[in-house]
Amino acid sequence: MVTTHAQLAVIAVNRFGLGARPGELVQAAKDPQLWLKNQMVSPQFDPQLADTKTAFEQFSAHRKIRGQQKKIAKAQVQSMILEPSTVDQSTSMQVMKKNKTMAGGQTRYAKLMRQTQKNLLMSGLWESIETTQPFSMRLLDFFSNHFSVSTSTAQLKVVAPLLEREAIAPYLFGHFEDMLIAVIKHPAMLMYLDNTRSTGPHSKAGRYNKKRGINENLAREIFELHTLGVDGGYHIGDIQELAKALTGWSVSYPADQQQEGFVFRENLHEPGTRIILAKRYRHEDQRQVEAILKSLARHPSTAKFLSYKLASHFISDQPAPTLVAAMATRWQDTNGNLSAVMTTLIEHKGSWQPERQKFKTPREFMVSTLRSIGLEQKSARGFLTGLVYHLTEMGQAPFSAGSPAGYSTYAEDWSGSDALIKRIDWVNRLVAVSPKSLLSAVDLAQQLFADDISERTLKVLKGAETARQAYTLLFMSPEFQRR
Amino acid sequence: MMKRRQFLAAVGGSMVCWHSPNLLAMPIKRPKLVWVMLRGAMDSLHAVLPVADPSLMDHRRGLLKTVKGQATPLERGFALHPSLKTFAELYRQKQLLAVVATSSGANTRSHFRAQDIVESGYNQADADSGWLNRAVEAYQGESLAVAHSLPISLRGKHASQTWYPDHFMESSEDLYNRLKYLYDGDEQLLNSLINGLETQAQLGNMANDKRQQKFANLALSCGKLMQAENGPDCSMLELDGWDTHQRQVYRLDKQFTELDKGLAALRQGLGEQWDNTAVIIATEFGRTVAENGTGGTDHGTASALFLAGGAVRGGRVYGQWPGLKKAQLFEGRDLMPTSDNRQWISALLKQHWQLNDVQLNTVFPQISPMQINLIR
């Protein structure tokens, strides 16, 4: 089958990108590969949004007030038990009044944190919907999911969404090892995988308090999920050694020091040389882990594992072995230079087969639908303010995979009967509230897929009962559900 | 159900679908099976406490502080965590049994890998074929997964439904018909659509009444769906959150309560059908015998398995106990497995669904069923 230039553009915008915004297909058609390569710069984010510093400030204020509240409540109860006679009317009134002010304080910060989280999640979605670099945003989504963190605690609710902005985006087209180090250092990862209090038994703190010990969680997931992969040829001893090296990698609260974010706590750190995959690491401080992460990032198993995962995310649930091999070779030749690896992905003919082989995840489906209508955040009202909630309903709440493995990108995990019905319902509601002056669904189909659309789908779109129904049918068509 | 069959007949043989030729001749009461998968590795030593083992306290003094003296005694020197109230009640009524020191057969401490292996039921994970799918196919029954998408346990040749409560409004009949036409020739989408519509119709307003997605509500709806006329013969429920590396005492209190309420709700939903039901509750692997440095436990090996239901011959604790002395542990850190979950499930399938040895060998190849009466 001969692939036409227009078809290549359709593949570029749908498979590599996030689905066409109005006019995008025409731009990509000039030179589909160049259109992709030109996007390979780190995406920028709204500077108004919260960063780790703000998130920590909000959380610390919240925690401080909650601590005071608990103290007061305890004191109150104790004084009433011990000396009931001494508690006169005015003291208890005073205590109650103070409690009330404090409660107001907690509500204020808790509310502020909820707002911060909401802003971060919403802007994350809208950045994807409005971006002119859909290829790099898709790559960002990939790594954000590769280094999946979930909002499992109050603090992570505001910190987890920052990981992709602060630790992934800056290195998106740099070397994987730099991204890896930044990610493992980020408070979101250290908190999510329980490393902040992990204590070496021979460290200062460990010798003082025998109850404290090592937590292997982060070390295990670095091997299994972030670098070599479960079959990458490491052993439990390697995990234990990395866990020891990671002791002391912790998070500093403003209450502790005059800084926020990563801190290396020497008093928790297990002293000594570590041996991992038969290689010795002598440093006695945080450089030890940095050196380990660098070698893990360059390891042949990492090259293979990440290349396979990238190819299966972008191209197909069963990517061509030649494509994966070409990417892995490039990875090793360049010490994991992501620009080079992604260039190989773009240039390989295994990436351009005409058949649509990826079933969209709920997020991809939602983003591509809203992109195709050309919506902008400022026009969003009512229904569209609930997008994060809708994604939760569809089973893909942002930063809530609930597992460090992240969300699946395989068809069988998203194409189930319940999932499909939810997509239909969502599109139905979207179409019901969308602005009226839309193109006809047939014209829109042309804008999304040029001529790469089946006779049957065209027939169904033309025969629809209403213009709105035609839209629903277009978004639910096999052409739109896959990429 | 008839409507669905008529529709399937109308679209022809393009799909793999369940067809039970003997449906009309079948007795009304068919033995039901519920498979509950606990994802994240439940700490069995915190659920079924080996209180008679003298080494227990050496390993986990901190973890047991709050449980000591409150656990419900079981036979053979074991005790149930106090939050498992329904479990205890069922045990007393001889409708629940526990199997200790049993493993999933997964030779890995990776959650994801191990869960895939447990669900596929093979020694190596096969993401396209689940043990429950093969079992229900042999049984010629019908199955339901309470999930957004089909879990591996129910993937395979036999067609299974998925259901999960939904907050979105319903779409119109006309649109559905057009979509069916649009998906003609696209088996994946057509199958999902038809199954989804079927479940929606079968469920009626039930989903609207109970909008919360809490495990107990899911279990209640699951039970109701199963006891309906021509309801599914087996179903699968999932509960995650068992990966307690930290603050295990607090977290497992919550987890056990949620699981316990779920089992109670399932019994309530099943109504009279509870008497014909066997529930299997299992996890992918156990956790380290010793407490870690952060008030939790890390990934281990052997865990426990529960069988519950009116059809189960309960009130027992099975499984050879390997002991908790350092030398008795697997790799010096984990509870040593003395049996394989699949041997117990295989025995249950044999006795509950009357599967023969050839059929059992397709469900769990080369696994011999336990020679113990698990079913009344």
Side-chain angles (χ1 to χ4, degrees), chain A residues 204-429:
Chain A
K204 223 186 237 177
R207 276 177 293 152
Y208 176 74
N209 182 350
K210 298 280 181 221
K211 273 192 195 157
R212 303 189 68 164
I214 289 180
N215 190 311
E216 288 177 8
N217 210 8
L218 177 60
R220 176 180 301 282
E221 306 307 11
I222 288 174
F223 276 105
E224 178 178 335
L225 300 174
H226 300 159
T227 61
L228 275 68
V230 68
D231 296 321
Y234 58 92
H235 300 285
I236 188 155
D238 298 315
I239 295 175
Q240 286 164 342
E241 283 288 280
L242 178 55
K244 283 180 192 162
L246 276 166
T247 49
W249 278 47
S250 187
V251 171
S252 155
Y253 297 96
D256 296 336
Q257 286 170 32
Q258 293 303 307
Q259 60 179 56
E260 303 82 17
F262 174 78
V263 66
F264 179 72
R265 296 192 196 283
E266 207 182 337
N267 63 331
L268 303 185
H269 184 65
E270 178 73 359
T273 296
R274 305 268 74 91
I275 302 174
I276 289 172
L277 300 171
K279 210 172 144 186
R280 300 173 78 85
Y281 299 89
R282 289 180 206 282
H283 292 292
E284 283 294 310
D285 53 24
Q286 70 185 64
R287 284 175 301 170
Q288 189 175 46
V289 170
E290 288 172 3
I292 296 167
L293 292 179
K294 262 188 195 169
S295 0
L296 295 187
R298 295 176 184 196
H299 195 278
S301 295
T302 304
K304 269 188 220 148
F305 178 55
L306 265 290
S307 297
Y308 184 87
K309 223 179 143 180
L310 277 163
S312 75
H313 169 85
F314 274 88
I315 309 300
S316 164
D317 288 359
Q318 273 108 31
T322 53
L323 168 63
V324 178
M327 290 169 72
T329 306
R330 195 94 176 99
W331 185 292
Q332 282 190 264
D333 290 348
T334 62
N335 286 327
N337 181 322
L338 295 171
S339 261
V341 174
M342 293 316 284
T343 303
T344 303
L345 178 83
I346 293 172
E347 290 173 351
H348 200 279
K349 74 174 193 305
S351 304
W352 297 87
Q353 36 4 10
E355 197 190 333
R356 294 173 171 89
Q357 298 198 32
K358 287 299 287 186
F359 194 84
K360 290 179 184 174
T361 65
R363 187 185 174 96
E364 290 171 349
F365 168 64
M366 178 181 275
V367 166
S368 58
T369 306
L370 297 172
R371 281 177 72 79
S372 73
I373 323 180
L375 275 182
E376 281 169 22
Q377 187 169 13
K378 55 182 187 285
S379 71
R381 304 243 189 292
F383 175 74
L384 286 173
T385 58
L387 293 183
V388 171
Y389 175 71
H390 302 156
L391 261 187
T392 308
E393 284 289 306
M394 292 193 227
Q396 204 183 12
F399 304 102
S400 302
S403 142
Y407 285 111
S408 159
T409 68
Y410 292 116
E412 66 254 32
D413 293 306
W414 299 114
S415 63
S417 47
D418 184 67
L420 190 74
I421 299 285
K422 288 214 166 80
R423 288 186 190 201
I424 299 172
D425 292 343
W426 181 76
V427 165
N428 243 351
R429 286 185 65 181

Side-chain angles (χ1 to χ4, degrees), chain A residues 52-177:
Chain A
T52 294
K53 189 170 181 298
T54 324
F56 271 49
E57 277 165 8
Q58 289 176 2
F59 183 76
S60 304
H62 168 76
R63 203 168 62 151
K64 196 170 155 197
I65 289 170
R66 221 178 44 177
Q68 285 170 347
Q69 275 177 329
K70 278 186 186 160
K71 229 167 155 180
I72 290 168
K74 210 173 153 188
Q76 195 179 17
V77 170
Q78 252 169 4
S79 70
M80 285 178 177
I81 294 169
L82 294 175
E83 296 164 87
S85 59
T86 61
V87 184
D88 62 25
Q89 195 81 16
S90 65
T91 342
S92 68
M93 284 293 283
Q94 233 176 353
V95 170
M96 275 169 66
K97 207 171 159 193
K98 198 163 181 197
N99 258 348
K100 210 173 164 190
T101 329
M102 292 296 180
Q106 185 196 358
T107 320
R108 193 172 75 233
Y109 283 108
K111 209 172 146 189
L112 198 60
M113 283 162 69
R114 273 200 300 279
Q115 192 58 46
T116 303
Q117 186 202 16
K118 197 179 163 204
N119 290 346
L120 287 168
L121 298 185
M122 277 305 268
S123 79
L125 267 172
W126 281 102
E127 275 147 10
S128 291
I129 296 163
E130 294 178 338
T131 184
T132 53
Q133 301 166 245
F135 176 57
S136 59
M137 285 306 275
R138 175 179 284 292
L139 188 62
L140 182 75
D141 284 346
F142 168 83
F143 278 115
S144 184
N145 193 53
H146 179 72
F147 294 114
S148 177
V149 284
S150 292
T151 52
S152 46
T153 64
Q155 188 168 13
L156 276 168
K157 279 193 187 355
V158 280
V159 179
L162 297 167
L163 181 73
E164 62 179 29
R165 288 156 198 263
E166 297 176 344
I168 296 176
Y171 309 99
L172 203 52
F173 295 101
H175 282 86
F176 179 66
E177 60 201 40

Side-chain angles (χ1 to χ4, degrees), chain B residues 31-105:
Chain B
K32 307 261 179 198
L33 190 69
V34 183
W35 161 234
V36 183
M37 172 107 185
L38 308 181
R39 295 189 192 273
M42 180 195 66
D43 183 23
S44 65
L45 295 178
H46 210 120
V48 185
L49 299 118
V51 283
D53 192 310
S55 305
L56 179 65
M57 278 317 233
D58 302 342
H59 294 296
R60 30 175 79 201
R61 194 163 295 276
L63 292 178
L64 294 177
K65 240 185 300 185
T66 53
V67 187
K68 229 173 39 183
Q70 294 185 48
T72 315
L74 308 175
E75 67 166 352
R76 295 177 56 207
F78 293 94
L80 260 183
H81 189 277
S83 296
L84 293 168
K85 296 194 178 78
T86 307
F87 279 58
E89 182 198 330
L90 291 171
Y91 179 86
R92 278 193 297 275
Q93 295 168 355
K94 305 211 182 303
Q95 297 191 359
L96 179 134
L97 65 86
V99 181
V100 293
T102 176
S103 88
S104 62

